Amino acid sequence: MNCKTAVILAAGAGTRMKSEKPKVLHEICGKPMVSHVTSQAAAAGSENIIIVVGHGADKVQSQLADQGLSFALQTEQLGTGHAVMMAKDQIPDEGDVFVLCGDTPLITAETLKKFAAYHTEKKNAVTVLTAVFENPFGYGRIIRGADDQILKIVEQKDASEEEKAVKEVNAGMYCMNAVFLKSNITKLSSDNAQNEYYITDLIAMAVESGNGAGAYIVEDSDEIMGVNNRVQLSQASDVMRKRIAEKHMVNGVTIIDPSRVYIEDDVVIGNDTEIWPGAVLKGKTVIGKGCMIGADCQIENSTVGDGTDILKSVIKDSSIGENTHVGPFAYLRPGSEIGSGCKIGDFVEVKKARMGDGSKASHLAYIGDADIGEDVNIGCGVIFANYDGVHKFRSTAGDRAFIGSNSNLVAPVNIGADAYVAAGTTVTVDVPEGALCVGRSREVIEEGWVEKKGLSKKKR
Ligand code: UD1
Ligand code: CA
């Protein structure tokens, strides 16, 4: 395989998307469409990837910055052939080149490798990737001669009725000999229904000049699905989600209903983990082995240790250790680091807080800007009051500290190891190790008060 260079066309306006955003930046499973193409090209062996940008060039270039990609600018979108012309000077003078589209995000490295191998084996100047579609509308048609050899590609808008009946379509992906490409690309004409320079005309040129053109039919036609509008965007997303879910299932993850989970491409999940319907797993999330991700959890850029279970909770930019229970209805905001064997129960919100192994906040608490040791108990209704309206402060609770229900810890305060805070206390000073802090007034009991006041509702 020697397609060391890949040119990816991504300058088109994408009018049919009806969007302010350039088409190729629309996302499929959390990644811009064009990034799926660049990563598959790279995985297929392309080291030099040139993106042709034009419509929304700044946005595309800045979103794809720092990924080792090169860019060629097509200021006017005069067609796919014209787009390749813009990259001509960056294409090496030898070897083979992939020409791919930024709007066909389902192509895989495996197919690209087989495609390139076929191209090399047949010694073609140009090989086009094709598929057979029941409904070929909108795609360029592959026109073959009597001997089944490819003759040319005809665009939908230029096709005769007979040509429109052809079901074999152009995927918009090509493997080309660099010498042939560079010496013929500038010879394209725009004499067609759209007055555009079509890359597809290179096929007929190769046939006519006797340089050899071929077609490689893709095994799974889903891979070449082009995205031109939002209906197709959702159809491509469906395929990608299914593919990702299947990868995890093959790796030993149980997914109760694969049609009802959203898992982005880079998410890692250990075996024997169960994923229930409605789970949304995004970004660089890593989930360990034997976990239970319950219904309707949203987990983003977070790490979850082995054996942890999470029910109906939202977790962002955080880490959770092993065998910890989270939820239902917990909210871990960015910067939360929860240890192993912990419990973050219902209606507990945590923000930028560390919690050591074995610590528990079982219900209804706000833990913001805190450093909590091991085996600490945080009672129901505890609030780490971290904000004075202007500044935020941190508080600490040492190992085995017990923070009674409905306490307020007015930051910054430090609760020593083994210390107790009595239920209902508002703590504004540090509590030494092993001490008890009670901050509430004594109850007053008046015997017989109800009778005395004549308030008794007892039946006489
Ligand atoms: C193109 C093919 C068609 C094929 C289909 C597969 C041509 C003439 N037609 O049609 O045979 O079946 O793809 O999906 O090539 N682009 C540029 N600059 C331009 C025009 C387009 O960079 O001036 C880029 C677009 O951003 C897009 C890709 O090229 O990523 C394809 O362009 P698009 O307009 O979508 O072509 P199709 O009509 O789909
Ligand atoms: Ca297209």
Side-chain angles (χ1 to χ4, degrees):
M1 145 81 203
N2 64 348
C3 280
K4 296 256 181 262
T5 298
V7 178
I8 299 176
L9 311 187
T15 321
R16 290 164 279 180
M17 293 300 281
K18 306 210 168 121
S19 176
E20 298 295 311
K21 186 154 72 171
K23 174 164 80 174
V24 296
L25 292 184
H26 280 267
E27 292 186 357
I28 303 253
C29 294
K31 249 205 291 209
M33 274 196 261
V34 61
S35 298
H36 287 284
V37 183
T38 58
S39 60
Q40 296 305 313
S46 296
E47 293 160 3
N48 172 22
I49 298 179
I50 306 157
I51 317 279
V52 181
V53 292
H55 181 84
D58 290 349
K59 284 185 192 160
V60 178
Q61 237 170 302
S62 68
Q63 186 136 357
L64 301 183
D66 307 323
Q67 294 176 23
L69 304 166
S70 310
F71 297 92
L73 185 63
Q74 185 195 28
T75 40
E76 259 188 302
Q77 281 73 62
L78 303 179
T80 49
H82 183 258
V84 176
M85 273 179 227
M86 302 301 108
K88 182 176 172 244
D89 293 343
Q90 296 181 47
I91 297 172
D93 294 325
E94 51 179 27
D96 290 322
V97 182
F98 278 132
V99 176
L100 309 172
C101 288
D103 67 348
T104 49
L106 298 173
I107 188 65
T108 64
E110 290 69 45
T111 294
L112 289 177
K113 281 186 202 166
K114 287 187 206 162
F115 177 38
Y118 177 86
H119 169 81
T120 310
E121 182 199 316
K122 297 286 173 189
K123 299 192 174 66
N124 290 331
V126 192
T127 308
V128 57
L129 191 69
T130 73
V132 178
F133 276 176
E134 223 14 74
N135 175 15
F137 182 85
Y139 289 89
R141 306 297 204 284
I142 304 298
I143 309 302
R144 292 180 184 260
D147 54 357
D148 230 22
Q149 265 295 309
I150 185 166
L151 296 178
K152 60 177 177 175
I153 299 174
V154 180
E155 289 305 294
Q156 173 79 32
K157 288 183 179 152
D158 299 293
S160 65
E161 286 311 310
E162 198 186 331
E163 288 165 339
K164 279 179 193 158
V166 172
K167 290 183 173 169
E168 187 181 3
V169 304
N170 169 21
M173 295 177 233
Y174 317 85
C175 224
M176 298 196 193
N177 173 274
V179 177
F180 172 82
L181 169 64
K182 292 183 82 168
S183 51
N184 288 283
I185 191 77
T186 46
K187 296 183 193 156
L188 292 173
S189 105
S190 60
D191 183 16
N192 51 50
Q194 306 187 80
N195 295 318
E196 286 184 359
Y197 297 92
Y198 293 164
I199 182 79
T200 47
D201 288 346
L202 285 180
I203 296 285
M205 285 162 75
V207 173
E208 280 156 26
S209 62
N211 276 296
Y216 177 80
I217 305 177
V218 71
E219 283 158 33
D220 173 4
S221 55
D222 277 353
E223 286 196 29
I224 73 137
M225 201 187 275
V227 174
N228 298 311
N229 59 38
R230 309 231 189 189
V231 176
Q232 292 169 331
L233 182 71
S234 84
Q235 288 164 343
S237 299
D238 280 349
V239 175
M240 187 68 82
R241 279 200 307 279
K242 191 165 169 239
R243 223 186 244 178
I244 292 172
E246 281 174 7
K247 170 187 81 180
H248 291 296
M249 292 188 282
V250 168
N251 287 343
V253 177
T254 295
I255 300 182
I256 308 291
D257 181 353
S259 68
R260 292 184 56 211
V261 292
Y262 173 89
I263 305 173
E264 291 184 353
D265 216 14
D266 294 335
V267 172
V268 176
I269 310 174
N271 65 321
D272 289 329
T273 285
E274 257 181 37
I275 315 273
W276 284 73
V280 173
L281 309 179
K282 301 174 77 172
K284 304 269 177 217
T285 291
V286 178
I287 297 187
K289 298 177 185 183
C291 296
M292 214 279 287
I293 308 300
D296 302 324
C297 283
Q298 176 154 348
I299 307 178
E300 218 172 300
N301 295 317
S302 296
T303 307
V304 177
D306 296 348
T308 284
D309 58 51
I310 304 178
L311 299 174
K312 287 196 191 292
S313 293
V314 176
I315 295 158
K316 289 183 181 163
D317 304 309
S318 292
S319 68
I320 303 170
E322 297 177 6
N323 302 312
T324 283
H325 302 280
V326 178
F329 310 111
Y331 185 16
L332 268 55
R333 290 165 54 198
S336 301
E337 293 171 38
I338 310 299
S340 294
C342 291
K343 182 168 181 194
I344 302 291
D346 49 286
F347 306 104
V348 173
E349 176 178 336
V350 183
K351 187 215 78 172
K352 251 193 223 168
R354 281 193 292 128
M355 197 184 235
D357 295 348
S359 289
K360 295 183 170 61
S362 298
H363 9 239
L364 297 154
Y366 173 61
I367 305 167
D369 298 313
D371 295 292
I372 293 162
E374 296 181 2
D375 298 314
V376 172
N377 186 80
I378 295 175
C380 181
V382 168
I383 293 171
F384 282 69
N386 58 334
Y387 186 46
D388 64 7
V390 181
H391 311 98
K392 299 232 166 92
F393 300 97
R394 291 189 79 81
S395 290
T396 65
D399 295 346
R400 299 169 302 279
F402 184 98
I403 320 289
S405 294
N406 221 28
S407 300
N408 301 308
L409 272 53
V410 181
V413 287
N414 301 300
I415 312 297
D418 301 295
Y420 269 66
V421 171
T425 297
T426 292
V427 183
T428 59
V429 294
D430 287 353
V431 179
E433 198 176 318
L436 167 69
C437 170
V438 195
R440 61 188 185 216
S441 49
R442 278 268 166 220
E443 305 87 320
V444 175
I445 305 288
E446 271 193 52
E447 295 279 359
W449 181 87
V450 175
E451 276 296 333
K452 232 186 290 172
K453 285 275 182 186
L455 295 174
S456 175
K457 289 166 216 126
K458 251 194 235 162
K459 298 244 168 21
R460 308 226 171 231

